[in-house]
Amino acid sequence: MLICAQEMARYVADGVLDAGLTGLDWVAEHAASNGGASGVLSLADLVYAKQSFGKVRWVLAVPEDSRYRTPADLEGATIATELVRATEAYFARLGVGVNVEFSWGATEVKPPVLADAIVEVTETGSSLRANRLRIIDTVLESNTQLIANPGAAVDDWKRTKLENIALLLKAAIEAQGRVGLMLNVRREELESVLALLPALQRPTIAPLSDAGWVAVNTVIEERTARDLIPQLKAASAQGIVEYPLNKIVM
């Protein structure tokens, strides 16, 4: 079932769904709305984002030319965000009194007329810079989580299914940006070829029907293939094949 990430933690916590994928930010938002208890279990920490393989940040940002330099300077200010409860909890921890307003979108354009500051999600910060906003603190970091209802997690059949899903999701992320490489090489030239090959572990080497030759299979970063393949060819490797990977189970 495809539903908004913002709602997933609530449905899983209430037992409407056994499990789901959502961001750590929305788990935190749900927890802040329920006295700090999320009511869900995290089964897999899946670190990837739209433009990178890192986490995203919810940041506190103010206009570049504003007088605000620290969160404490925002005492009595209005903060616009979609992450209302988690933002309120953040300022409560700091002991700073603010008015947090829900923003339906286009949050970056609201300061300084409609809000004094915003809490907004960012990966690169480019949108904030384009709107002449300056980051003064990070409220929280987030990445995708596979979450489960505690009741589902204690059911053996469901637990096994969920662990298998977690395994395959992690394997798919491990495969991102990597390719498989296989080639043939004469035994006497094997060491010079192996010296060129980075790998997760040592490459797999298998004998061929011709006793003087072996097959080599390994995994490399896709970005290195363009430079590596000509080097392997120069080292007398033959039958070089680069192929995509769907999953790597570590």
Side-chain angles (χ1 to χ4, degrees), residues 6-25:
Q6 292 90 327
E7 298 180 292
M8 184 63 75
R10 174 167 62 90
Y11 286 124
V12 173
D14 291 347
V16 178
L17 300 173
D18 288 328
L21 291 168
T22 190
L24 187 59
D25 45 3

Side-chain angles (χ1 to χ4, degrees), residues 147-197:
I147 60 173
N149 180 276
V154 297
D155 181 287
D156 290 341
W157 184 86
K158 290 181 179 179
R159 180 79 186 193
T160 298
K161 291 291 185 182
L162 291 170
E163 288 175 347
N164 289 343
I165 291 172
L167 175 72
L168 295 175
L169 288 172
K170 290 178 180 178
I173 291 176
E174 287 292 341
Q176 289 291 313
R178 291 173 172 159
V179 294
L181 198 68
M182 57 185 179
L183 56 89
N184 299 330
V185 63
R186 294 181 186 276
R187 288 186 181 274
E188 59 266 27
E189 291 158 341
L190 177 60
E191 287 304 317
S192 61
V193 166
L194 292 180
L196 296 171
L197 291 177

